[in-house]
Amino acid sequence: MTAPGPDDALDVWRRHVDACVLLDGFHALKHALRFGAEVPVAVTGDRAAALALAEELAPDVRAALAGMLAEVPQETYASLVPRPHPTAVAALAARPSRAAGLRKLADMPRSTPVVVLDNPRNLGNAGAVIRLAAGFGATGVVTTGTLDPWHPTVVRGGAGLHYATTVERLAVEELPPGPLFALDPEGDDIRGVELPDDALLAFGSERSGLSRELRARADHLLALPMRPQVSSYNLATSVAMTLYHWSATGGAPRLR
């Protein structure tokens, strides 16, 4: 398969940009391809460098990249993204079906938890959480509030791993079924609790914590260990600690 020329690639980009997800950088495109994303167009400012990077870090997708990566002038590439990525690679991908995502979140029994970010504010933190959830094999990440979990900055922070899990935005009353464990400084020490595989693991916003609506919906409040006078953990750190606790005490598959 021969990659399209620059003019053809830009024409496809213009036709798809409003309906697609921006994959910003080589790693976002790599992960999206690994997990089945439909990618109608991909461009780079340096095709030889991008394919060499694929040969080194992701030989499993090199052939696919060779067939789709169109080289365009660096200034043209830079005009397509909010902030040029060091790898000078960008692509567009179809967003997964919302209906299919909601079915997956609601399907019971679940074998892995759903992470709930209650009214998050920081786009980069949300992306880091999605990357963590994908790595742990979580069923999905749900956000409440106004933040768009498919914003280009979130997808960049998640390194394209939105396609390795389910990512949706819902109201608190629309959360999928399952026992809800919410992280709160006033909760019980998480080290004394075994988290079930079908749990919803909820985390408050970086500044204001849990909303009243989510706190009222919670079945259990849990606290992470923290020494006195330390204010808080970063959101992604809190999620990582909680998912690790689940993986160590619950039914997470063991590595060979």
Side-chain angles (χ1 to χ4, degrees):
M1 180 177 177
T2 303
D7 292 340
D8 290 339
L10 292 174
D11 181 60
V12 175
W13 189 285
R14 285 189 288 267
R15 286 190 280 112
H16 286 83
V17 65
D18 291 333
C20 281
V21 175
L22 174 65
L23 301 175
D24 193 359
F26 171 83
H27 301 291
L29 176 56
K30 169 193 73 178
H31 283 134
L33 289 174
R34 280 179 175 167
F35 291 98
E38 178 187 340
V39 180
V41 60
V43 301
T44 178
D46 189 337
R47 177 179 160 86
L51 293 179
L53 193 60
E55 188 68 41
E56 178 185 1
L57 300 179
D60 56 308
V61 299
R62 189 195 182 283
L65 289 171
M68 68 172 60
L69 268 177
E71 184 167 280
V72 298
Q74 284 284 355
E75 59 271 19
T76 301
Y77 154 74
S79 73
L80 301 176
V81 295
R83 175 167 54 98
H85 193 276
T87 59
V89 171
L92 298 177
R95 182 165 171 171
S97 160
R98 176 173 170 83
L102 294 178
R103 285 195 300 271
K104 185 174 181 181
L105 291 170
D107 188 34
M108 295 290 275
R110 283 192 299 269
S111 59
T112 59
V114 172
V115 175
V116 178
L117 302 183
D118 186 29
N119 200 25
R121 300 296 188 183
N122 186 285
L123 296 167
N125 278 346
V129 168
I130 291 166
R131 190 170 185 172
L132 280 165
F136 275 96
T139 295
V141 176
V142 170
T143 65
T144 71
T146 59
L147 182 143
D148 176 9
W150 286 87
H151 186 282
T153 302
V154 183
V155 178
R156 178 169 173 154
L161 284 163
H162 285 58
Y163 292 90
T165 187
T166 300
V167 179
E168 294 293 344
R169 177 168 52 176
L170 299 171
V172 171
E173 60 271 19
E174 297 173 325
L175 291 177
L180 197 156
F181 293 78
L183 276 289
D184 186 271
E186 298 177 3
D188 297 325
D189 191 320
I190 193 172
R191 291 171 291 185
V193 177
E194 184 173 315
L195 297 172
D197 296 338
D198 62 354
L200 305 179
L201 305 176
F203 302 82
S205 72
E206 297 88 337
R207 291 188 179 182
S208 55
L210 297 169
S211 66
R212 278 185 298 181
E213 293 83 2
L214 193 136
R215 183 185 285 268
R217 164 77 168 76
D219 299 297
H220 310 275
L221 294 180
L222 300 178
L224 294 168
M226 184 185 302
R227 67 183 292 185
Q229 297 184 315
V230 174
S231 300
S232 64
Y233 294 120
N234 172 271
L235 175 61
T237 301
S238 297
V239 175
M241 293 170 71
T242 304
L243 284 173
Y244 179 80
H245 178 72
W246 161 74
S247 73
T249 60
R254 299 290 173 178
L255 298 177
R256 292 183 181 272

